[in-house]
Amino acid sequence: MVVMTVVSAVGLMVDDRVLAGTAIWFKPFKFALSFVVYALALAWMLTLVTRGRRVGRWAGTVVALSSLTEMAIITGQVIRGKRSHFNHATPFDETLFNLMGITVTVLWTGTLVIAVLLLRARIADRAAAWAIRSGVLLALVGAGFGFLMTQPTPGQRAAGNLDTADVIGAHSVGVPDGGPSMPLTGWSTTGGDLRIPHFIGMHALQLLPLFLLVLLALAPRFPRLRDPRVRLRLVLVASGAYAAVVVLVAWQALRGQPLIHPDGATLGAAALIVTASGACGFAALRSTPLPQKPVPEADVLAGSDSPAKEFAA
């Protein structure tokens, strides 16, 4: 995936072809980059599995091979100058898209197996356990939005030609794909976009453990953060807030509303999330900590055989 990120970046610079309103190499670039961080986070989490390690290794291999297959199809379609997603123009294109649907399902199932193993793992620090488990579960939810994109849109259903249509499914809601979009992300600026909850949900896998690492980095300067109970409460608040944001952007997208043009209901819900999260975070910090000595980051995020086990107890 690192190699494909570089190849796609070169393609963006030397190939001026445009497909569905965007540079043709932009999709493989985004997918490759996303798979890099996704795979690295998942590989690290597999080192924390204490039960069923062989199953975890197989599940990780399945995720890697599924990702590789999907990238091969996306890149092959770019070389051909064809859409990879939602393409039913020819029997060959339809077969490739159906194969992508299978690989995504297999990838999701492999991640689910890893999530179950992490739920059963004995992770010494409770804050680390919640950050990791919440991250992988939210990643599964985020990945699940990909299945919604494959369904026919209301406009495609109304046309009544699903058996002969060249394109079935869409990223956007309420507007056709390929319209005005945000820079870098390519998300629609005129309608809803299911890629937003898909992206935000999947990258909980990295962001929630990263939040815990930030707390650990700040612990030497802020005594309250040295208390594992305070860190646990803050991670729980962050996990709840993150889940609420995923629900919010999914609700916004399904209503056909662009991310950058929220209505009053969306703004009100966002304000409620911010207020509730801020209040809960403040309450977590106000709790009286026990005297604790700092624990090394590596120990907190290690498995049950680490020195942090005694510290957490």
Side-chain angles (χ1 to χ4, degrees):
M1 296 305 167
V2 171
V3 171
M4 279 309 305
T5 301
V6 176
V7 170
S8 301
V10 173
L12 284 169
M13 292 185 289
V14 302
D15 191 341
D16 59 0
R17 289 180 297 165
V18 174
L19 183 65
T22 189
I24 198 168
W25 283 97
F26 190 45
K27 184 182 288 289
F29 176 78
K30 288 194 303 181
F31 269 72
L33 188 60
S34 180
F35 275 135
V36 167
V37 294
Y38 188 82
L40 285 173
L42 213 56
W44 166 66
M45 288 181 178
L46 279 170
T47 67
L48 306 178
V49 171
T50 55
R51 302 175 184 175
R53 289 185 174 179
R54 179 176 296 180
V55 174
R57 285 195 295 270
W58 275 107
T61 302
V62 166
V63 169
L65 292 176
S66 301
S67 306
L68 179 62
T69 303
E70 183 159 356
M71 276 302 300
I73 295 173
I74 291 172
T75 306
Q77 289 293 74
V78 165
I79 293 171
R80 295 178 64 229
K82 305 292 185 180
R83 295 178 64 126
S84 54
H85 288 72
F86 321 127
N87 192 344
H88 295 260
T90 68
F92 180 68
D93 291 322
E94 185 172 17
T95 299
L96 288 179
F97 179 58
N98 290 337
L99 179 58
M100 288 179 66
I102 294 172
T103 61
V104 168
T105 303
V106 172
L107 188 153
W108 191 91
T109 304
T111 305
L112 175 62
V113 170
I114 295 171
V116 172
L117 293 175
L118 288 169
L119 288 172
R120 298 177 66 241
R122 292 173 296 176
I123 300 174
D125 185 76
R126 293 179 65 197
W130 272 100
I132 292 164
R133 292 164 180 167
S134 298
V136 73
L137 290 174
L138 284 170
L140 285 169
V141 173
F145 286 107
F147 297 107
L148 292 180
M149 302 179 201
T150 64
Q151 302 305 306
T153 67
Q156 291 167 352
R157 292 183 186 277
N161 61 339
L162 294 181
D163 292 336
T164 58
D166 290 345
V167 176
I168 300 177
H171 300 125
S172 303
V173 178
V175 295
D177 281 351
S181 61
M182 297 171 60
L184 299 180
T185 63
W187 298 336
S188 175
T189 57
T190 56
D193 200 314
L194 290 170
R195 289 173 294 185
I196 299 171
H198 180 66
F199 174 86
I200 294 175
M202 286 192 67
H203 290 291
L205 195 71
Q206 299 88 37
L207 293 178
L208 287 175
L210 182 62
F211 174 75
L212 176 59
L213 288 175
V214 171
L215 295 182
L216 290 168
L218 294 174
R221 299 183 60 185
F222 299 95
R224 287 187 181 275
L225 296 181
R226 299 173 192 169
D227 187 348
R229 299 175 308 164
V230 172
R231 292 197 301 271
L232 172 61
R233 291 165 186 159
L234 289 174
V235 166
L236 291 174
V237 171
S239 299
Y242 202 105
V245 169
V246 172
V247 172
L248 176 62
V249 295
W251 178 54
Q252 185 182 18
L254 289 169
R255 289 186 295 136
Q257 186 180 112
L259 179 68
I260 60 174
H261 298 299
D263 62 9
T266 302
L267 290 174
L272 182 61
I273 293 172
V274 171
T275 302
S277 302
C280 292
F282 181 75
L285 287 171
R286 288 285 295 173
S287 60
T288 304
L290 294 173
Q292 297 287 344
K293 63 180 180 179
V295 63
E297 296 175 16
D299 287 347
V300 171
L301 297 178
S304 59
D305 295 330
S306 73
K309 182 175 181 180
E310 181 181 353
F311 171 78

